[in-house]
Amino acid sequence: MTDAAPAVPGTPLAEVTRVFLRIGCLSFGGPAAQIALMHRELIDDRKWLTEPEYLRALSFCMLLPGPEAMQLATYAGWRRAGVAGGLVAGGLFVLPGALVVLALSMVYAAFGQVPLIAALFFGVQAAVLAIVLHALHRVAKRALKARWHWVLAVAAFVALFAFAVPFPAVIAAAAVTGWIMARGAPVPPSAPLPPGALAFSLRQVLIWGAVWLVPLAALYLLEGGLLWQVGVFFSKLAVVTFGGAYAVLAWMTQEVVQVKGWLTTGEMIAGLGLAETTPGPLILVNEFVGYLAAWKQGGVLWGIAGAAVAVWMTFAPCFLWIFAGAPFVERLATAPRLAAALAGITAAVVGVIANLSLWFALHVLFDGLSTWQAGPLRLTLPDPASVDWKALLLAVGAAWLILWRHLDLILVLALSALAALALSAV
């Protein structure tokens, strides 16, 4: 260990492994539930972090691209057992869910067209619409605290839905707006850096940059086809995934469905539903995309390779961000302009998720869509006569169970799948 990365004495790596394996297996319910689970395990039960340390680490992780709950686990493991502890904690947070998603992806690819299985997935797709609306409601309550937040949210929605502005451009504009809005804010004294922080961070950038990008270069040299394209795509995604998985799903869906043609719209929505039922980060939907895209080209083994590439390129950068930035967490806690930039991104994410909700609604509830265009304005419009009444009924029922009855998301997905099976039998 270096001075920049002090491990807390008396925490064996085996104990860190046991604790985070438990957390990884129980981390259902999205980032809010996962963060609450770690709070109970790490602060209430084991006193591994203090409340202020935990909140500063969470704020730091929310500034980064990628799944904040997984990155928070990595940081907590680093605090207890150094880089090895961070690697174990972050890896075990992802691994149980990744194995389950791989198994479900294989089942979907092999049996998704069987009428019985297709009916179950139809129900899952309808429930996903309600789940995304639930996410929109939660994020909006947390993010829209000032008038300029509302303006950013509406502007992000219009930019994406009506003008097809690229998602990274929307996020960058929101961050710059937040940074500008914080001009003149009082700046508290900066916390001192630990000894050796810059050297430690540079070393981590070199190591984890190689861990991330050398396999990508090897894919280009050895294969240069679909697997390399999957690696490049998810490497790009890893850099712009601010605001959680829902924020980037619309852009990812547009790319993998409309631009690259790897998946159909129905397959993409089914993948999101599968990811909702598993422990670990929701961004594990990337693994489903990688598996299905490669499976279509070369079968099961090729699909497993595609899933592995997607997982590697999604999560390897997370270790880079955490290990390179961990020594600076205390100083970042006193950076109001960075916090304002994050607030701008979070506000824009409300508009991004609203666009995703509308996109899902159009594709789940209507069989016929058309495009109306006038200059840069481009609108996707439904054919009212093509409404799918079964999907509408299932989506309304799922929304009622989630938003008004407050049932667990996994239970709602199961009930929706069973209801779809009953409707198909009728």
Side-chain angles (χ1 to χ4, degrees), residues 162-195:
F163 294 97
V165 176
F167 171 77
V170 171
I171 292 299
V176 171
T177 302
W179 182 275
I180 293 172
M181 293 299 293
R183 283 188 304 180
V187 180
S190 297
L193 287 177

Side-chain angles (χ1 to χ4, degrees), residues 126-141:
V128 164
L129 174 57
I131 289 171
V132 175
L133 289 173
H134 177 59
L136 174 63
H137 179 252
R138 287 187 305 168
V139 174
K141 284 200 305 182

Side-chain angles (χ1 to χ4, degrees), residues 70-71 73-75 83-94 204-205 208-209 211 311-312 314-326:
M70 177 265 184
Q71 291 169 335
T74 305
Y75 177 83
V83 171
L87 184 58
V88 166
L92 290 178
F93 189 86
V94 172
Q204 299 307 311
V205 168
W208 288 97
V211 168
V311 169
W312 190 275
T314 297
F315 294 104
C318 296
F319 292 107
L320 189 157
W321 315 142
I322 289 296
F323 293 143

